[in-house]
Amino acid sequence: MFFISDAMAQAEGAGEPSLLATFLPLLLIFAVMYFLLIRPQIKRQKEHKKLIEAIEKGDEVATSGGILGRVVNLGDTLLVLEIAEGTTVVVQRFAVSTVMPKGTIKDAREA
C-alpha cells in the first residue's frame, strides 16, 4: 500500500509539459537567428544588387579582389575595367564591391 500511494501522488503531481513550453525555446532561438543573421544578410544582398545595377560607364569601382578601375564597357554580366592607361580587365559584375568617388584612381596613382 505504501508504494501505491507514492505512485499515485507522482502521477497526479507530475504533468507533461505543454506543447508551447516544449517548443518555446526553439521558436525563440529561430527568432533571434532571423533578426541577427538572416535579415541583415538579405538587406546587404539587396543593397549590393542595387549597387551593381546602378553602375554606369565612367564609374570608378573597386572589385572584391582589390582592383581599382574605371568602367569602360558594360555588359549584362561582365564589365570591362581600365586599370591603367591602355590596360583593361574583364570582370563579372557581382565582383564589384564598391563604387568609388570620382578621382579616386587618379589620387591613388599619384601616391
Side-chain angles (χ1 to χ4, degrees), residues 2-111:
F2 181 69
F3 294 111
I4 293 173
S5 64
D6 287 343
M8 290 178 141
Q10 286 181 355
E12 289 176 12
E16 292 184 22
S18 69
L19 190 61
L20 180 63
T22 304
F23 288 109
L24 188 61
L26 185 63
L27 292 173
L28 288 174
I29 290 171
F30 179 75
V32 168
M33 294 288 284
Y34 176 77
F35 284 106
L36 292 179
L37 297 174
I38 298 170
R39 192 167 177 232
Q41 180 65 27
I42 291 172
K43 186 177 176 183
R44 276 192 296 270
Q45 286 175 345
K46 286 181 182 179
E47 290 173 358
H48 189 251
K49 186 176 180 182
K50 285 181 186 177
L51 174 98
I52 289 173
E53 290 173 352
I55 294 174
E56 297 175 346
K57 200 172 186 177
D59 285 345
E60 295 179 4
V61 298
T63 66
S64 57
I67 298 173
L68 292 175
R70 182 174 292 110
V71 178
V72 178
N73 198 356
L74 294 168
D76 289 336
T77 59
L78 300 174
L79 300 171
V80 179
L81 299 180
E82 182 181 39
I83 57 174
E85 290 183 34
T87 306
T88 58
V89 177
V90 179
V91 297
Q92 293 178 333
R93 271 187 181 250
F94 74 84
V96 173
S97 60
T98 310
V99 175
M100 307 298 285
K102 300 284 183 187
T104 302
I105 294 176
K106 188 173 100 175
D107 294 341
R109 289 181 185 157
E110 292 174 357

